[in-house]
């Protein structure tokens, strides 16, 4: 895979990096991260951390003020079954989202996470 293809694969989770097939979003869920408050953000990359730290919420208004939130989108390739989980960490500020971190889990690390 060329460097350019790697970059494209990294930033376009909606197409499968194996067969280029458009991936389907199978599930998405919003979470609060009570352990991460404003002014104390630390970038995390460990799937295990998120599995322990995240608390599912129904809507953004349910996230306490000053607490970071996390959106998770599960993608699946309809052709080869490859999965990618996109995890976006952000701070909800009024009607905006201040995005801190975007992670892609491509080895099934988050497949068992609801
Ligand atoms: Zn595929």
């Amino acid at each position: 895979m060329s460097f350019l293809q790697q970059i494209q694969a990294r930033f376009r989770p909606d197409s499968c990096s194996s067969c280029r097939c458009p991936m389907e979003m199978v599930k998405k869920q919003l979470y609060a991260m009570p352990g991460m408050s404003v002014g104390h953000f630390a970038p995390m990359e460990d799937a295990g951390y998120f599995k322990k730290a995240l608390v599912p919420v129904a809507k953004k208004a349910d996230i306490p003020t000053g607490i970071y939130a996390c959106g998770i989108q599960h993608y699946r390739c309809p052709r080869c079954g490859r999965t990618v989980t996109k995890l976006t960490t952000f701070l909800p500020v009024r009607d905006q989202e201040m995005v801190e971190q975007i992670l892609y889990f491509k080895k099934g690390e988050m497949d068992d996470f609801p």
Side-chain angles (χ1 to χ4, degrees), residues 8-75:
Q8 285 173 338
R10 181 174 165 84
F11 291 101
R12 289 179 55 211
D14 50 342
S15 82
C16 178
S17 55
S18 298
C19 60
R20 307 265 172 265
C21 196
M23 293 184 102
E24 293 173 349
M25 191 171 66
V26 286
K27 202 162 38 171
K28 66 173 180 177
Q29 176 66 47
L30 183 66
Y31 298 87
M33 294 174 70
M36 208 78 91
S37 57
V38 64
H40 297 92
F41 181 79
M44 295 289 174
E45 292 187 3
D46 178 23
Y49 170 81
F50 291 104
K51 288 178 185 178
K52 281 188 215 140
L54 300 183
V55 179
V57 293
K59 55 188 187 299
K60 220 157 72 170
D62 293 343
I63 298 162
T65 305
I67 295 294
Y68 276 87
C70 186
I72 288 187
Q73 290 153 295
H74 293 282
Y75 292 87

Side-chain angles (χ1 to χ4, degrees), residues 71-114:
I72 288 187
Q73 290 153 295
H74 293 282
Y75 292 87
R76 189 174 185 284
C77 174
R79 191 179 296 169
C80 71
R82 187 184 184 87
T83 59
V84 174
T85 300
K86 181 182 181 184
L87 192 152
T88 309
T89 305
F90 64 93
L91 185 66
V93 183
R94 291 179 189 151
D95 293 334
Q96 294 179 356
E97 298 175 358
M98 290 175 58
V99 174
E100 288 280 1
Q101 195 180 15
I102 296 176
L103 289 172
Y104 294 107
F105 293 99
K106 298 180 177 181
K107 294 175 188 154
E109 300 98 318
M110 297 295 281
D111 283 4
D112 59 342
F113 190 67

